[in-house]
Amino acid sequence: MGLKLKGRHFLSMLDFSADEIEAVLQTAAKLKSKGPRPEKTPLLGKTLAMIFQKPSLRTRVSFETGMTRMGGHAIYLAPTDISLGKRETTEDIAMVLSRYVDIIMARVFGHDIVVDLAKHAGVPVINGLSDYEHPCQILADFQTIIERRGQLKGMKACYVGDGNNVAHSLMLGAARMGMHMTVICPRGYEPKPDVTAQSTTVGRETGSKITVTDDLAAVDAADVMYTDVWASMGQEAEADARRKIFKRYAINAETIKPAKRDVTILHCLPAHYGDEIDYTTSRLPHSAIFDQAENRMHAQNALMLHLLGALGS
Ligand code: CP
Ligand code: NVA
């Protein structure tokens, strides 16, 4: 099954079939079970280029540490290092990097940039977050949900907050895997209509119900509750205005009440405590926010092994 993924790009949750996502998640669980010092180095001699247009803690450190653990090497390219699109075109960057490295990960503003990189690169390109999607995050989240609740299919997940990149990937991924997804946002901050339409269509094939509403009562009987910042990277100027608009759309003792008693609480981090989630709720025993952060590394390591055809080596 892994061979089918060799040489592919991972820009969107819809780039992979349910079987392919399942295969990556199974590899991720195996890697995690090996503990902190895996004895094998399957990516010995391989290099990952990491392009960043935006800041990061988890994405940078999990990819870089992941490559180290697997015997490979990662190169961090800061926003000012290559000035993507200003100093050099995306096309030329993709063509040059492909002559040096084995795989590319990029965190960008416009989603068209990762699409363009993938179009011109001769090696796999991974979306490390764009304004439109954050698929690596959702692989880690799915690993976490399986650890906490045993499965994805048939689970009811609720996302409360801004209909942003993380919400988009969650909806598309949930639809693919047969998980129900209720997205609860203030009016005017819903996910992009094409994402809602696409996930609804895909969900029809897998039995996943996709709902978008402004009604917090829709949290009813949720297995999973997820939130993210109200102002994403690039929206800093809107942060104060958004704080007022989103005030009710937070995860706290009140909003989790209609959910299951042991509802799994998720947040991709970084968190703004007191805004989209309060500190106490984030530290409940059924909060898995730091498992999510850890699983970024396992899920991405699994992803890179599949994309590089390095499984079993
Ligand atoms: N969740 C996540 O992608 O974190 P960073 O922005 O720190 O990479
Ligand atoms: N929606 C957030 C996710 C951060 C990991 C952002 O894009 O800033």
Side-chain angles (χ1 to χ4, degrees), residues 54 107 129 134 164-166 228-229 231-233 268-270:
K54 296 174 175 174
R107 163 165 289 194
L129 180 148
H134 194 3
N164 61 17
N165 44 8
V166 170
D228 181 19
V229 290
S232 286
M233 291 178 276
C268 56
L269 303 177

Side-chain angles (χ1 to χ4, degrees), residues 101-155:
V101 307
D102 303 281
I103 187 160
I104 298 168
M105 184 275 293
R107 163 165 289 194
V108 297
F109 284 98
H111 190 73
D112 56 316
I113 298 171
V114 277
V115 172
D116 211 27
L117 278 172
K119 184 171 157 202
H120 298 289
V123 298
V125 174
I126 297 173
N127 178 4
L129 180 148
S130 69
D131 285 348
Y132 194 64
E133 271 208 60
H134 194 3
C136 291
Q137 180 64 53
I138 274 53
L139 285 182
D141 301 339
F142 282 0
Q143 185 178 357
T144 311
I145 293 170
I146 292 168
E147 286 169 357
R148 293 280 174 144
R149 309 207 77 88
Q151 62 189 64
L152 297 170
K153 199 163 178 64
M155 290 292 117

Side-chain angles (χ1 to χ4, degrees), residues 179-197:
M179 182 167 80
H180 306 303
M181 189 76 230
T182 302
V183 178
I184 309 172
C185 322
R187 285 211 189 133
Y189 293 88
E190 295 91 352
K192 295 249 182 300
D194 60 304
V195 174
T196 304

